[in-house]
Amino acid sequence: MVHKVTYFHEVAIEAADGQTLLDASIKNRIPHHHQCGALARCTTCRVQILDGLSHVSARTHLEERVASERGWDEFTRLACQAKVHGNVVARRLLQSPQDVIVLDLEERNAVSGVEERELEVAVLFCDIRNFTGQTEKSLPYDVVYYLNGHFAAAAEVVLNNNGLVDKYIGDGILAVFGIRGESPEVACRNAVRAAIGMQDAARRLSPVFERDLNISLRIGVGVHFGPVILGRVGHPGKRQITVIGNTVNTASRIERMTKELDAPILLSDSVVTHLPGALRLGPATRLQLRGKSEVAELCRCDGFSKPDPVLLVQSSFNQIATRLIAFGNRFYAILFDHYPELRPLFADDINVQTRMLTSMLSSLVKGLNRTPEISGGLRALGRRHDAYQATLADYSKVANALLLTLEEFLGEDFTTDVRDAWIAVYGTISSLMIEGTEGRRAPGGGGLGSRAVLN
C-alpha cells in the first residue's frame, strides 16, 4: 500500500505503508537533516504534522523520551521514528543551522521554565564602514537590495561556523558563538573563522557594490569573549532570543576601533588567550574604549598561523556557491569521462542527482566543524551506499573527480593548501561513511564514495 506525504509549501511524495517519514524523504531525494543517522539521538529531522496525525505511528520509547525532554506537543515528531499508515501533510521544521540553534534554545528554555541563563560566549560585531554617508544619494530600494546581498553572504559564514545571527542593526550584524556548550577555544576559533570569512565575502561583493552603487564595501569586525545573559526580550506578544551584557557592548566598541586602527579584524585579549599560537597577530594596542573604565588590549588579526582546513574549504566553496548547478553538471561529466564504469550506478535522472549533489555539498560544508554531531548521519549514509554496491575504490574515484572539478572552477585559487584541505576534510567524511558499513574499516586517506554526495 502506498500513501501520499505532502511537505507543506514543498512537494508531495509517495511512502510505503510503515515507512518512516525520513526514509520516504531519502528515497524521494528530498534533503532532510538527520545528523545522528536516524537513531533518535538528535532532533534535526523533526517535523510538524499538519494533517493526518492519526495516520502516523505512535511515538517509540526513544522518541517519547526526546519529546518529554523538549516539551513537544503531539504534532511535533521525529521523522526517523514516525511511520506512515495513511496520507499525511507535514512541515520540516529545520531548514538551516540557524533553525537548529533557535529551536534548541526555545525548547530547552520552555522545559526548564527559565527565561534567562548566563553563558560565556564569543560575540562578533560586523559593520560596513561609512555606509550611511556613501549611500545618502542612492535610491532606498537599491540600498536595501544590495545590503541584503551583503547580509546573506556574511550570515552564511556565521551559520557555517555554528554561530547564531542575533540581530541586524542598520548595516551591522551581531553574531554569537558558543551558546550550544562549545568550549571557549572552539567558540573563539569559530568566531575568528567567521570574521575572516566575512572579509572574504565582502571582497567578493565589493566590485558589485562599486559598479552598481558606486560605494566601497569595506567592513570592520570586532570579536570579544566573555559572559552574557541569553534570554528572550521584548513585548510579551513578540519576544526574541538575544544576548545582553557588558561583553556585547565591548564587542561593539571594539568593532568601532577597526577604522581608527586600520584593522579589518580586531580581537580582544580574551579571544587571543584562548587561541595561543593559532593566529597571525599585529602588535597589541592598549587603549580605553568609549564608555568603558577599563583599559582594553586589542590585536589586529591577519588569519591563522597555520592553514585551517575548515576555513579553506568554506572559503573555496563560497567562491563556487553561485555556480553550484554548473559545478554539479561538470562534476558528473568529469566523473563519467574518467570512470565510465560508474555510469550504470546512477539510474536516476542526472538532473535530480545534480541537485542532490549540490545540496549535500552545502550541508557538508555547514557541518565541517560539527563532525561529532553529524558522524551518525555520515555512517548511515555509508550503509546506504554499501547497499548500492559502492566499493572502496569508488570512493577514491569520486574524490579525484571532485578535486579535478574544484581545480577547474577555482583556477589559480586552487592552491596546494586548498587542495590539501579538501583532501583532509573529505578523507574524514569518507572514513566515517565507510565505518558505517558492516565489516569494513577505512584505509588511510581516501575520498568520497560514488554516491557519497547524492542522497
Side-chain angles (χ1 to χ4, degrees), residues 358-417:
T358 56
S359 174
M360 183 55 70
L361 276 176
S362 298
S363 296
L364 289 175
V365 170
K366 287 179 171 63
L368 288 182
N369 55 15
R370 296 183 289 109
T371 302
E373 293 184 30
I374 67 174
S375 59
L378 289 171
R379 291 188 180 98
L381 190 61
R383 288 191 291 272
R384 289 200 296 275
H385 293 102
D386 192 43
Y388 299 149
Q389 305 302 312
T391 68
L392 294 181
D394 293 337
Y395 279 67
S396 295
K397 293 175 183 178
V398 171
N400 186 50
L402 182 62
L403 292 173
L404 289 172
T405 312
L406 286 166
E407 182 177 15
E408 184 175 308
F409 271 66
L410 294 174
E412 62 182 18
D413 290 331
F414 192 65
T415 63
T416 299
D417 285 341

Side-chain angles (χ1 to χ4, degrees), residues 176-406:
V176 190
F177 302 80
I179 62 175
R180 302 180 71 196
E182 299 95 327
S183 68
E185 177 186 356
V186 170
C188 288
R189 192 175 190 92
N190 283 341
V192 172
R193 194 184 284 132
I196 297 170
M198 284 179 165
Q199 291 291 350
D200 288 342
R203 278 190 288 272
R204 289 194 299 273
L205 279 176
S206 187
V208 177
F209 274 64
E210 291 173 357
R211 182 194 67 206
D212 296 342
L213 284 183
N214 196 32
I215 70 172
S216 174
L217 180 59
R218 298 180 62 213
I219 64 172
V221 184
V223 185
H224 184 50
F225 182 86
V228 299
I229 298 298
L230 174 71
R232 299 178 66 86
V233 300
H235 185 278
K238 186 174 178 58
R239 291 181 176 175
Q240 70 177 58
I241 293 175
T242 189
V243 289
I244 300 173
N246 185 56
T247 299
V248 180
N249 296 331
T250 300
S252 176
R253 301 295 193 275
I254 292 172
E255 183 278 319
R256 293 182 185 179
M257 294 303 300
T258 60
K259 181 179 179 181
E260 183 174 328
L261 298 178
D262 192 26
I265 300 174
L266 272 181
L267 310 178
S268 70
D269 60 338
S270 63
V271 175
V272 174
T273 55
H274 283 111
L275 298 170
L279 305 171
R280 289 189 288 117
L281 303 170
T285 301
R286 292 177 58 82
L287 48 78
Q288 187 169 343
L289 297 173
R290 181 182 175 186
K292 301 293 179 181
S293 58
E294 305 91 355
V295 173
E297 185 172 295
L298 308 180
C299 287
R300 172 187 174 124
C301 178
D302 293 316
F304 290 104
S305 55
K306 296 180 180 179
D308 182 274
V310 172
L311 175 62
L312 289 172
V313 168
Q314 288 177 348
S315 298
S316 56
F317 180 79
N318 287 338
Q319 289 181 250
I320 63 174
T322 59
R323 300 175 288 161
L324 279 182
I325 296 300
F327 180 89
N329 289 332
R330 185 57 184 152
F331 164 79
Y332 285 116
I334 291 175
L335 179 68
F336 299 147
D337 181 55
H338 283 71
Y339 310 105
E341 69 275 12
L342 295 184
R343 186 61 182 90
L345 293 177
F346 297 84
D348 293 325
D349 183 346
I350 202 64
N351 291 324
V352 174
Q353 299 285 19
T354 298
R355 289 195 297 272
M356 291 304 299
L357 166 72
T358 56
S359 174
M360 183 55 70
L361 276 176
S362 298
S363 296
L364 289 175
V365 170
K366 287 179 171 63
L368 288 182
N369 55 15
R370 296 183 289 109
T371 302
E373 293 184 30
I374 67 174
S375 59
L378 289 171
R379 291 188 180 98
L381 190 61
R383 288 191 291 272
R384 289 200 296 275
H385 293 102
D386 192 43
Y388 299 149
Q389 305 302 312
T391 68
L392 294 181
D394 293 337
Y395 279 67
S396 295
K397 293 175 183 178
V398 171
N400 186 50
L402 182 62
L403 292 173
L404 289 172
T405 312
L406 286 166

